[in-house]
Amino acid sequence: MDKNLINQLKDKLEEGKKNIEEQLEKFALKDEKLKDDWNTRFPHFDGGETGSAALEKAADEVEEYSILLPIEYGLELRLKNINLALEKIKIGKYGICEKCGKEIPLERLKISPEAKSCAKCQ
C-alpha cells in the first residue's frame, strides 16, 4: 500500500480517536489501569432536596447513567479498533484481513480505516 495513502488513513484514524475521546470525556473518566477503558461517571446525589422531589431526581440520574453505559461501550469498542489499526500501521500489518490474510480493499479502508477484515469475511 502506498505510504502517502497510509499516512492519510493514519491521520483519519487519529482524528477519529481524538473525537471519540472528546465524546467520552463528557460523561466518563479514563481508567488509568486498563487501556481503552472508560468508566461512566455515576451521578452524585447532592442531598439538597427531600421527599418525592429527591427520589425523582435520583431516578432521573440513574436512568441517564443506564442510558450512557451502552454508549460508553460502543465508543470504547470503536476506540479499541482505532488503536489496533494504528498499532498495525506501526508494525507494517495494516490493511490485512485478520480472517483470510488478504488485503482489505482500499475502498473499504477509506470508509472505515479501522476495519479488521475484508467485506467477504465480515
Side-chain angles (χ1 to χ4, degrees), residues 14 19 24 39-40 46 50 56 60-61 69 104 106:
E14 288 174 345
N19 290 337
L24 283 164
N39 299 308
T40 298
D46 60 10
T50 59
E56 188 174 323
D60 288 344
E61 290 179 356
L69 286 175
I104 298 171
L106 185 58

Side-chain angles (χ1 to χ4, degrees), residues 3 16 85 102:
K3 196 164 192 143
K102 295 179 182 175

Side-chain angles (χ1 to χ4, degrees), residues 98-112:
E98 290 182 353
K99 295 182 182 177
C100 69
K102 295 179 182 175
E103 282 192 22
I104 298 171
L106 185 58
E107 298 79 32
R108 180 166 171 76
L109 291 174
K110 285 181 178 179
I111 294 168
S112 181

Side-chain angles (χ1 to χ4, degrees), residues 14-28:
E14 288 174 345
E15 182 180 330
K17 177 179 177 172
K18 181 183 173 200
N19 290 337
I20 290 171
E21 288 176 341
E22 286 174 356
Q23 289 177 45
L24 283 164
E25 286 173 349
K26 293 177 183 178
F27 64 90

Side-chain angles (χ1 to χ4, degrees), residues 13 16-18 20-21 24-25 28-40 69 71-87 114 116:
L13 287 163
K17 177 179 177 172
K18 181 183 173 200
I20 290 171
E21 288 176 341
L24 283 164
E25 286 173 349
L29 297 172
K30 187 172 184 169
D31 189 326
E32 298 300 324
K33 296 178 183 174
L34 296 173
K35 184 179 180 184
D36 300 331
D37 187 49
W38 292 71
N39 299 308
T40 298
L69 286 175
I71 294 170
E72 172 201 327
Y73 176 76
L75 290 171
E76 284 177 339
L77 187 58
R78 287 180 53 207
L79 184 61
K80 179 181 177 184
N81 288 336
I82 287 172
N83 284 332
L84 180 62
L86 289 168
E87 185 61 33
E114 69 275 10
K116 299 189 290 185

